[in-house]
Amino acid sequence: MSKFIEHDIQRPSSLYRTSSAAASFASTSPTSNGKKKGVDIYEADEQGVSPTDSRYSRLNCPLLLFAITAAISSINYGWVIGSINIPALVIEECADGPVAWTNGFPSCIPMSSTLWGLVVGLTPLGAWAGSMFSGIAADKFGRKHMLMYNNAFFVSGAIIASTSTSVAQLSVGRFVSGIGCGVAANVVSTYCSDVSTIRSRGFLGGFQQLMILVGVFLSQVVSIGLSKAPLWRVLFSISAAIAIVQTLLLFFIPESPKYLASTKQIDKAEAVLVRLRKDMDIAFELDDLLTVLEYSRQTDYVPQPTMWQVLAGKTEIDLRHLVFSVLFLMLSQQWAGGKGVMFYSTEILSDSFHLSDEEIKHIPTIAQLLTLGIGAVGLFSVILGMCILDKVGRRTVLMVSSLATAISSALIVIGSKVDI
């Protein structure tokens, strides 16, 4: 046994014996004649998997509830990027009527399309800024506490945007909310990964994207009723309410067991695993976790290759293919135009259908209803992908979705040029 494990991390006694939950599970397992017998935790099924090994446990109710609570940040993320779409013309072009001041707030904030694009673009810029420090902060403060602290960005951004009286104030509010989106994108996925098992990893892996689209869809549904002046301010302020509710709920979920183990809180990590893996033996899972942390600690002292060495293929194992594949996949997701649809679909569709100013005032317009339909299709697609991901494989799903995206993009271009 390594020095790291023996001296820096004290392995709990459960690693050398069956946990109490597993023992209880074993003592109540019925036999064919109605009597109870013990179940050997080392007894494996046809695939060589022990029925009580927590590493292969399926998604259970506590795990799902904890993941949902953490993913409320992703819902807020979706709300922030989706809430700006449908009321866009009311805010920037005063489509609901000329500027009228009520209690010190204007009914709209008129600006050019270029300036509006800058205001909207500040949200992903803020998300980039938030993603730059979120990983280090989550390792220092913990995933759970980082989600709590991050809600300060959502609350402050929502307050600034909903009370904005100028383009500058609205821009600052969108940027601050964007920081919250960037942190949420990183920390939520990390938390879900830390608490997942092998059999639940596929579902929880897509959980963040699902919750983002839930937020987008909900914001668009609510926007239909709040796209008139000055109700768009209420639409922006709802993000603060979501953040406050999540902050209260976060007190009832456990911290990531991986974070607890990495900070040498092994007893707490064990208790969390027992809570997450109901009626399962967590000894092997905890042992694997400590082994991974040991290896990570040891490799901290090994000189790491520079970015140039990786890109030039001057590493012990040529990583260029993997690096460029990941980079291309991440960039192609943005180049596909999905975010542009979330931000500008109402304006694009209004122009495509040649809606007059009078028609735009009659909410909901066909452009707004189609935007709502786009959100529903996105939500359905993510759910479908999560259900089939572990059955058909990541690569197959990725290839089919990429092909569908390419065909859809081509149809958009043809439709805009031919005007059909």
Side-chain angles (χ1 to χ4, degrees):
M1 187 176 293
S2 69
K3 180 179 179 181
F4 171 72
I5 293 181
E6 290 179 348
H7 300 286
D8 290 341
I9 290 184
Q10 297 295 322
R11 297 197 179 199
S13 58
S14 66
L15 292 181
Y16 308 104
R17 56 178 171 79
T18 307
S19 68
S20 58
S24 175
F25 178 88
S27 64
T28 58
S29 178
T31 62
S32 58
N33 59 9
K35 296 181 180 180
K36 297 181 179 180
K37 69 173 184 178
V39 175
D40 185 359
I41 66 168
Y42 300 101
E43 180 183 349
D45 58 14
E46 293 81 358
Q47 288 76 37
V49 177
S50 169
T52 60
D53 190 341
S54 66
R55 294 173 297 180
Y56 304 98
S57 62
R58 298 185 182 278
L59 187 67
N60 55 45
C61 187
L63 177 56
L64 181 60
L65 290 176
F66 298 151
I68 290 175
T69 302
I72 293 177
S73 287
S74 296
I75 295 177
N76 215 347
Y77 177 176
W79 188 278
V80 169
I81 64 177
S83 60
I84 199 74
N85 190 342
I86 290 181
L89 296 176
V90 174
I91 299 173
E92 65 162 319
E93 297 183 5
C94 298
D96 204 28
V99 181
W101 290 77
T102 304
N103 298 323
F105 298 105
S107 59
C108 57
I109 306 176
M111 66 189 83
S112 65
S113 296
T114 302
L115 197 54
W116 177 254
L118 177 62
V119 171
V120 174
L122 283 172
T123 300
L125 183 62
W128 172 80
S131 64
M132 294 297 290
F133 70 83
S134 58
I136 297 175
D139 287 339
K140 181 177 181 180
F141 300 110
R143 286 61 157 145
K144 171 183 172 179
H145 289 93
M146 193 60 207
L147 289 174
M148 289 182 173
Y149 304 150
N150 182 52
N151 281 331
F153 290 112
F154 282 125
V155 172
S156 56
I159 293 175
I160 295 171
S162 62
T163 60
S164 58
T165 57
S166 64
V167 175
Q169 184 178 350
L170 181 60
S171 300
V172 172
R174 296 294 297 177
F175 180 80
V176 174
S177 293
I179 295 176
C181 293
V183 174
N186 194 342
V187 180
V188 172
S189 61
T190 302
Y191 182 87
C192 289
S193 175
D194 287 352
V195 301
S196 66
T197 63
I198 294 175
R199 288 182 174 175
S200 64
R201 194 163 297 154
F203 179 84
L204 292 181
F207 202 64
Q208 174 181 271
Q209 186 63 27
L210 173 64
M211 293 297 106
I212 290 175
L213 289 178
V214 167
V216 171
F217 182 70
L218 290 177
S219 70
Q220 291 171 347
V221 171
V222 177
S223 294
I224 297 296
L226 297 178
S227 290
K228 290 183 175 291
L231 295 180
W232 57 267
R233 296 181 181 278
V234 178
L235 183 65
F236 290 168
S237 66
I238 291 177
S239 175
I242 295 174
I244 292 172
V245 170
Q246 187 200 23
T247 301
L248 297 176
L249 293 176
L250 284 172
F251 284 101
F252 300 98
I253 74 170
E255 179 56 87
S256 156
K258 183 176 181 180
Y259 168 76
L260 292 172
S262 67
T263 54
K264 302 179 184 179
Q265 303 179 66
I266 309 304
D267 290 337
K268 290 184 178 180
E270 181 184 16
V272 169
L273 284 175
V274 170
R275 188 178 175 187
L276 289 170
R277 317 288 187 242
K278 187 177 181 181
D279 297 329
M280 303 294 287
D281 186 78
I282 55 93
F284 298 106
E285 184 176 1
L286 184 58
D287 189 46
D288 287 349
L289 178 59
L290 297 181
T291 301
V292 170
L293 291 173
E294 174 193 6
Y295 178 78
S296 178
R297 178 72 65 87
Q298 291 174 346
T299 55
D300 285 343
Y301 303 100
V302 179
Q304 301 297 317
T306 63
M307 181 183 297
W308 168 250
Q309 289 175 326
V310 173
L311 296 178
K314 297 180 179 180
T315 54
E316 183 176 353
I317 300 176
D318 193 348
L319 301 174
R320 286 178 295 180
H321 175 72
L322 295 175
V323 171
F324 284 115
S325 295
V326 172
L327 288 177
F328 180 77
L329 287 174
M330 297 178 69
L331 289 173
S332 64
Q333 184 182 23
Q334 305 304 316
W335 290 338
K339 293 295 188 293
V341 171
M342 293 179 184
F343 286 132
Y344 304 109
S345 63
T346 301
E347 290 187 81
I348 294 172
L349 292 171
S350 295
D351 291 339
S352 299
F353 288 100
H354 308 294
L355 298 182
S356 65
D357 293 341
E358 191 63 29
E359 288 176 319
I360 292 175
K361 292 181 180 180
H362 291 82
I363 298 174
T365 65
I366 186 173
Q368 293 171 338
L369 292 176
L370 286 175
T371 294
L372 189 61
I374 292 172
V377 170
L379 184 60
F380 170 77
S381 299
V382 173
I383 295 175
L384 177 63
M386 293 171 65
C387 293
I388 67 175
L389 192 63
D390 289 328
K391 297 180 180 179
V392 302
R394 276 73 166 163
R395 183 170 177 266
T396 301
V397 173
L398 181 62
M399 292 174 63
V400 172
S401 63
S402 298
L403 178 61
T405 301
I407 294 173
S408 300
S409 299
L411 291 176
I412 291 175
V413 174
I414 295 173
S416 63
K417 294 297 182 182
V418 181
D419 194 18
I420 56 176

